Amino acid sequence: MNKGFCRVYQACMKIGMYILPWTTPELLEGAEASRSLAEDIKSRGIDRVLVVTGPNMMKRGLPLPMLDAMERAGIAYEVFDKLTADPTDEQVEKGVRRYYRLWEQEKGASGESGASCPQPGIVLFGGGSPMDCGKAIAARIARPNKTVAQLQGVLKVRAGKKIPFMWAVPTTSGTGSEATMAAVITDHETHRKQSINDISLIPHVCVLDPALTVGLPPSITADTGMDALCHAVEAFTNGTYNTEKEDHMAKEAVRLIYHNLYRAYEDGSDLEARSNMQKAAFYAGRAFTRGCVGYVHALGHTVGGMYGVSHGRAMAVLLPHVMRRYGKAVESKLAELAQICGIAEGDKPTKAAQAFLFWMEDINRKMGIPAGFDCIREEDIPQMAVWADKEANPLYPVPEVLSRRQLAELLRSCRL
């Protein structure tokens, strides 16, 4: 896409963003904070919720204390956990039907009309998949005459008060979905991932309970932690849409990740490290929901959709490659991040930026994350470059606008 057009589009978007009613979720924090969620639900006059979670969450029993607290508070709930790692449009529609069934039960129990019956809320419990699916369900409830495909894109929900009240309870420290306006959904036929992006999808309340992340395997801790790092680094190096708030959150997220990710990877029971990683993921999510991501995500979505690579793993592998490709365009920003982390105090920007890049590659290596992909097929690269270009341009205010040919070259450079 024409670079000049991209920059003009982004300049207009930056102006428009000052008009939008940006929000940041209210926070409930602390060990076992998820149990206090029932009180918060009750205090808002809602007595029925759809709990969107993954099947492994129920098998592990993680939501059970929260659900028990809901029962004691007299809150009716229905669990929807028929999700895959990458939620599809079909799964969203199944969730929509479950939500309407819950709402009809509420109307039948109360004898009230649809206009006066309280609208059920939605609890998003888990990692990125339940968060994305739950938000997409909320978008469909708010816009019942639109399909998922019709809602994908930028500001197509425009739901206002029609959106169900949403509580986000993350069980990983990476996706940042608990603070974002994005819901990534995969088309069940083409396997293409695309986002619904609308400020109405920012959850109203976020519950940060580090106890929920203690049982994460080291590999998941690594992948999700690098996903959070990617959000913060891309948001900060983009810069165009950010205010001081987003820049501050991105830098604070990077600092927390630098000092806590490997600690959490080595010792999953380290509650201080787990808590700090949750905060980092939240800050990074809020930073990129306005600041946007970039080519790491655009390319990563194609790799994940085409080959089933987990989102966090794709982000971890691609992040150093893409930042190195940007070169001088991100040097000063990476140098600033290096200074914040204490990696290269007093070094000149070029040296400091290189130190930060080396650190990202080194922590990947220490956590067993490969330096590239062994799954990318040459015949798939042209289509993947087209998809990445369509996702990123003109919306993402990337440090350097790349052509489809350059995106294809980047993909080739990431192969093992």
Side-chain angles (χ1 to χ4, degrees), residues 111 130 207 252 309:
V207 180
E252 180 63 8
V309 177

Side-chain angles (χ1 to χ4, degrees), residues 111-234:
E112 297 178 349
S113 67
S116 58
C117 180
Q119 184 178 19
I122 300 180
V123 175
L124 321 173
F125 188 101
S129 298
M131 299 277 178
D132 286 345
C133 188
K135 289 182 190 178
I137 291 170
R140 282 279 293 107
I141 298 300
R143 298 298 299 276
N145 297 323
K146 299 287 186 180
T147 65
V148 169
Q150 290 171 327
L151 293 171
Q152 287 173 322
V154 182
L155 301 179
K156 293 184 177 180
V157 181
R158 301 190 301 277
K161 295 181 180 179
K162 295 180 181 179
I163 205 83
F165 200 96
M166 288 185 286
W167 293 264
V169 189
T171 59
T172 64
S173 301
T175 70
S177 291
E178 63 272 14
T180 75
M181 61 186 279
V184 181
I185 303 297
T186 301
D187 185 287
H188 74 283
E189 293 182 343
T190 66
H191 306 292
R192 182 182 179 186
K193 288 184 176 183
Q194 294 188 89
S195 293
I196 304 172
N197 298 283
D198 196 281
I199 56 173
S200 65
L201 297 187
I202 298 175
H204 302 88
V205 175
C206 174
V207 180
L208 298 182
D209 183 347
L212 295 175
T213 69
V214 166
L216 288 175
S219 62
I220 302 299
T221 299
D223 288 354
T224 55
M226 290 303 292
D227 187 18
L229 180 67
C230 183
H231 294 152
V233 171
E234 287 206 290

Side-chain angles (χ1 to χ4, degrees), residues 173-175 221-233 249-265 273-285 319 340-341 343 356 359-360 363-364 367:
S173 301
T175 70
T221 299
D223 288 354
T224 55
M226 290 303 292
D227 187 18
L229 180 67
C230 183
H231 294 152
V233 171
M249 285 187 164
K251 289 187 287 187
E252 180 63 8
V254 172
R255 187 188 68 81
L256 287 169
I257 292 166
Y258 178 78
H259 290 292
N260 292 279
L261 174 55
Y262 196 66
R263 280 177 57 188
Y265 173 81
R274 290 292 195 187
S275 178
N276 285 333
M277 283 303 299
Q278 278 198 320
K279 289 178 183 177
F282 177 81
Y283 291 150
L319 180 58
I340 289 167
C341 295
I343 297 174
F356 190 77
W359 168 70
M360 289 194 294
I363 194 170
N364 271 349
M367 296 189 298

